[in-house]
Amino acid sequence: MGTQKLRPTLWICICFFCALSFLMGARISISALYSLQTEHFLNDWMFHKEEPQPQAWAIAYGAIERAISWYPVENPNLLIHRGRIQDWRDYKKPIGDPVAAESRLLALADYRHAAELQPSWPYTWIDLALVKARLGIVDQEALDALQNAFNAGQWRADVLLKITETGVFAWEMLPTRGKKLVIASIDRGLASSAITAGLVAKSLELFEQRSTICNRSINNYAYLKKWCNSP
């Protein structure tokens, strides 16, 4: 008799959890569609290295806002996407530009929040350090972000490349600690695959930092020293 009384309650619970699972799955699927739309825009902007047109930026921003609102919980990847959309809004503006400060500060807020939710993800820390450099601020937070990125991804070739690119971009603003970290990343990158070594070398040449880097004390960095001594 007691078992029979429990059965309706059990079925109600099962139906409730099935409906909840369906609802959660539907929300995640809808969010993913909007997220894919934002990724398309971001990939296009990265490929062309150009600031987006206002209309394209507005569409991308609207899509990521909907992706975030549909996702049932806070998602650090979506926050990173929104940060990057904000960051690209004034991509061509110079370091410390007051017009670009608003979008870069909004990007910084998203990167901070994403890093709190997923502190082991090195790419978020790199994004945070880079947007601070664009703001013209290389402080303790920016240096810690680079260090966190290196600690979490020092064996990943693409992480080393991104740290190198961020470091040479912000080189003149970096204190000694930051420059040593960038040099260590460059050395590891050059010791990696031939493709990664070529991309690291290209970044140094692109930012015209080869002589600056090579003129520092690099005796403890065998691969960097070898590269500096090459023709």
Side-chain angles (χ1 to χ4, degrees):
M1 189 72 176
T3 305
Q4 290 179 345
K5 288 182 178 179
L6 284 174
R7 283 178 181 172
T9 304
L10 179 62
W11 278 110
I12 290 171
C13 290
I14 291 173
C15 290
F16 172 78
F17 283 113
C18 286
L20 182 62
S21 297
F22 175 81
L23 179 62
M24 294 280 281
R27 291 185 68 90
I28 290 172
S29 297
I30 293 171
S31 175
L33 290 175
Y34 285 120
S35 179
L36 283 173
Q37 186 180 11
T38 64
E39 288 178 20
H40 171 76
F41 280 104
L42 285 169
N43 290 336
D44 183 67
W45 302 340
M46 289 176 65
F47 179 79
H48 292 99
K49 299 292 183 185
E50 292 290 342
E51 283 184 15
Q53 295 296 319
Q55 183 179 5
W57 186 90
I59 294 171
Y61 184 76
I64 194 58
E65 285 287 273
R66 286 187 285 274
I68 290 171
S69 66
W70 275 102
Y71 206 85
V73 295
E74 286 188 312
N75 186 319
N77 294 325
L78 296 178
L79 292 173
I80 293 169
H81 282 352
R82 187 170 66 181
R84 288 176 178 170
I85 288 170
Q86 290 286 6
D87 209 357
W88 272 95
R89 185 176 186 177
D90 297 299
Y91 175 76
K92 289 290 187 180
K93 300 288 191 305
I95 293 173
D97 186 271
V99 174
E102 180 183 0
S103 61
R104 290 170 179 172
L105 287 170
L106 289 170
L108 176 60
D110 278 332
Y111 296 149
R112 281 173 174 161
H113 195 182
E116 289 173 0
L117 295 173
Q118 199 176 30
S120 62
W121 192 241
Y123 307 96
T124 313
W125 292 114
I126 296 170
D127 284 333
L128 193 157
L130 182 56
V131 78
K132 292 214 77 169
R134 293 189 193 282
L135 284 162
I137 305 170
V138 177
D139 55 7
Q140 191 65 42
E141 181 184 35
L143 295 174
D144 288 345
L146 281 177
Q147 185 68 62
N148 291 338
F150 183 81
N151 292 344
Q154 58 184 294
W155 303 112
R156 298 184 184 186
D158 57 339
V159 171
L160 295 171
L161 177 61
K162 288 181 180 296
I163 293 175
T164 297
E165 292 173 342
T166 302
V168 295
F169 172 79
W171 185 261
E172 298 303 327
M173 295 182 282
L174 289 175
T176 301
R177 172 195 165 192
K179 290 176 178 177
K180 286 182 177 179
L181 177 62
V182 173
I183 288 174
S185 297
I186 293 170
D187 189 64
R188 281 185 181 270
L190 292 172
S192 186
S193 66
I195 294 176
T196 303
L199 291 172
V200 168
K202 184 178 179 181
S203 293
L204 295 176
E205 300 288 359
L206 180 65
F207 286 93
E208 300 179 348
Q209 293 287 6
R210 175 170 180 149
S211 61
T212 302
I213 300 292
C214 291
N215 286 336
R216 296 185 65 84
S217 178
I218 56 172
N219 290 330
N220 294 328
Y221 303 98
Y223 290 91
L224 178 56
K225 184 177 180 181
K226 180 179 177 181
W227 179 75
C228 288
N229 291 332
S230 65

